[in-house]
Amino acid sequence: LQCTYIKIEQVEKTHAVVLSRPSWLWGAEMGANEHGVCIGNEAVWGREEVGDEEALLGMDLVRLGLERADTAEKALTVIVDLLEKYGQGGNCMESHMVFTYHNSFLIADRKEAWVLETSGKYWAAEKVEGGVRNISNQLSITTKIDREHPQLKEYAKSNGWWDGEKEFDFAATYSYVNTARMTTSRGRYCEGYKLLNKHKGSITSEIMMEILRDKESGINMEGGFMTTGSMVSVLPQQPHLPCIHFFTGTPDPARSVFKPFIFVPNITQLLKTSSPTFGHNDPVKKQPRFQNKPDRRHELYKKHESAAVVMETIEGKGKEMLKEIQELEKQKISEMESILQNGCLDINQAVNLFSQCVEEELKIY
């Protein structure tokens, strides 16, 4: 199986997946599979050097976890086994500039959720027992460790990061973070935690979208590193109800539509939100890599980009357009809510659910 940089052994059976991914690579930043497993990924740094040798990217691991596991914990096992066998590393940016990092993962299914954080091949995992949980660009697992790399503590001890006496705190040991200040210092992790906590016990898909749109907190990033895609999933605990996954497929969720997707048989390729592929001629696949950058924008991305210019420059027209896309999203959310309340899904309609919403969004633009 050819991943972004390396080939690995394929497995006998893979599951259907829906992915939100950077257009130049094989993996994904977030996605879901047909069994209701969802994974999201974040860059993290710590004391362990980041190797720039090409291996699996964290984003490859997201996709592999979704393709190969039908529960959240099995996805965790898939990821750590692959990490042990192939390692993580390689440029995470389509550029001459080398940008590398370790990875953390938020993994959930209908019944449970896990946080997995890595440092090279070492890792710790925490089972989320209740309340809210988020990840951002820092290690956040402290003393509640439910699964770990067999040499996690020994390695920290051999490096002089932990004395073997005091209680083992993963984030404090493997990074430079003062874990006592993690939920109070002003950063994306802390701000995300506050926003989630504010709505604890009553979080709906709409509230989740609102949080992802929040610019003041830095959750919705602007500038050099911009939020380029967002996802919200509703995973009902009743097995007869469908999992619903909303994707923007476009940058800046504050002016994007979260479009619903439900796994049903016979879904065709989502063409208007799929980036063009360049096969063997792709500059990512040729050595030396990244000699040039082809236009990877899909149809919705291009139209969204032009609409963003209108929103910024023509006030009246921009406001009107924003209002229309907000109304379209509200309508889709209420349609999804009625499916969950009535437990009644029209399979024929669900096949084109996402594509249909893309068409309606394109019309507004």
Side-chain angles (χ1 to χ4, degrees):
L1 174 67
Q2 179 65 55
C3 300
T4 302
Y5 295 128
I6 64 166
K7 282 184 179 170
I8 67 167
E9 278 174 53
Q10 182 55 293
V11 288
E12 260 177 64
K13 183 181 190 303
T14 57
H15 309 301
V17 297
V18 58
L19 307 169
S20 182
R21 62 186 186 88
S23 52
W24 63 274
L25 49 70
W26 181 83
E29 294 201 326
M30 54 203 160
N33 71 17
E34 60 184 304
H35 301 287
V37 178
C38 298
I39 309 178
N41 142 280
E42 280 277 6
V44 288
W45 295 268
R47 296 184 187 211
E48 181 74 344
E49 292 265 317
V50 182
D52 50 12
E53 201 172 303
E54 291 181 350
L56 288 172
L57 292 180
M59 292 171 276
D60 294 338
L61 292 166
V62 168
R63 180 169 179 171
L64 290 161
L66 291 170
E67 286 188 349
R68 299 179 175 197
D70 58 4
T71 70
E73 190 172 3
K74 280 186 198 165
L76 169 74
T77 302
V78 165
I79 292 172
V80 299
D81 287 354
L82 288 164
L83 194 58
E84 187 65 31
K85 192 169 180 183
Y86 299 103
Q88 59 179 325
N91 195 355
C92 301
M93 198 158 68
E94 186 186 13
S95 161
H96 285 302
M97 297 272 297
V98 177
F99 180 55
T100 55
Y101 47 74
H102 304 302
N103 292 271
S104 68
F105 306 87
L106 203 48
I107 310 170
D109 61 23
R110 291 176 188 264
K111 292 185 177 157
E112 59 180 44
W114 288 79
V115 173
L116 166 64
E117 296 183 334
T118 70
S119 179
K121 70 171 187 173
Y122 300 94
W123 56 272
E126 173 193 342
K127 189 174 180 181
V128 182
E129 308 285 2
V132 297
R133 189 68 167 82
N134 63 315
I135 59 172
S136 192
N137 302 113
Q138 64 186 64
L139 297 177
S140 63
I141 295 173
T142 56
T143 54
K144 184 187 184 304
I145 300 171
D146 297 297
R147 285 183 57 183
E148 65 190 69
H149 186 284
Q151 273 93 48
L152 181 74
K153 291 174 182 149
E154 208 39 59
Y155 183 71
K157 214 167 149 184
S158 69
N159 277 299
W161 302 341
W162 179 58
D163 61 8
E165 297 295 316
K166 62 174 186 280
E167 189 180 18
F168 184 80
D169 177 322
F170 176 67
T173 307
Y174 273 80
S175 71
Y176 301 101
V177 174
N178 173 347
T179 53
R181 290 182 60 244
M182 267 193 329
T183 52
T184 54
S185 65
R186 197 177 151 70
R188 282 178 90 221
Y189 174 77
C190 171
E191 296 303 310
Y193 179 78
K194 276 194 223 158
L195 287 168
L196 288 168
N197 247 323
K198 191 172 136 190
H199 300 284
K200 190 158 78 175
S202 59
I203 295 176
T204 60
S205 51
E206 269 181 295
I207 285 171
M208 204 64 229
M209 290 167 193
E210 207 179 289
I211 291 172
L212 292 177
R213 288 181 163 128
D214 194 282
K215 289 196 172 169
E216 206 186 321
S217 62
I219 302 294
N220 182 4
M221 290 172 82
E222 295 182 285
F225 283 97
M226 186 182 184
T227 293
T228 51
S230 304
M231 168 187 173
V232 170
S233 289
V234 183
L235 311 176
Q237 290 186 308
Q238 304 89 318
H240 69 283
L241 293 176
C243 293
I244 299 171
H245 312 284
F246 293 90
F247 290 92
T248 58
T250 49
D252 186 358
R255 51 180 174 219
S256 294
V257 178
F258 278 91
K259 297 166 279 294
F261 176 95
I262 295 174
F263 280 96
V264 288
N266 306 320
I267 288 180
T268 51
Q269 184 72 31
L270 307 172
L271 293 173
K272 297 200 173 171
T273 50
S274 293
S275 297
T277 51
F278 301 93
H280 294 300
N281 297 321
D282 197 309
V284 176
K285 296 203 168 88
K286 291 176 168 177
Q287 292 281 11
R289 302 194 197 276
F290 309 120
Q291 293 305 295
N292 55 45
K293 243 183 185 178
D295 184 355
R296 300 185 188 275
R297 296 171 304 161
H298 52 64
E299 191 176 332
L300 180 66
Y301 191 103
K302 286 179 184 172
K303 286 276 175 25
H304 179 266
E305 213 170 28
S306 320
V309 173
V310 173
M311 287 178 198
E312 277 170 19
T313 55
I314 310 169
E315 201 182 334
K317 180 88 178 102
K319 270 190 180 155
E320 190 184 312
M321 209 182 255
L322 195 57
K323 189 167 170 259
E324 280 185 60
I325 67 169
Q326 287 166 347
E327 279 167 7
L328 172 62
E329 184 180 274
K330 271 198 167 61
Q331 179 201 328
K332 297 296 169 190
I333 290 171
S334 87
E335 280 173 25
M336 295 308 103
E337 278 169 1
S338 77
I339 287 172
L340 294 175
Q341 276 157 14
N342 309 326
C344 185
L345 175 68
D346 180 334
I347 304 281
N348 299 324
Q349 256 184 321
V351 167
N352 298 312
L353 184 62
F354 185 87
S355 306
Q356 186 55 48
C357 192
V358 169
E359 291 298 344
E360 289 168 52
E361 188 180 355
L362 285 167
K363 273 195 191 111
I364 295 169
Y365 295 152

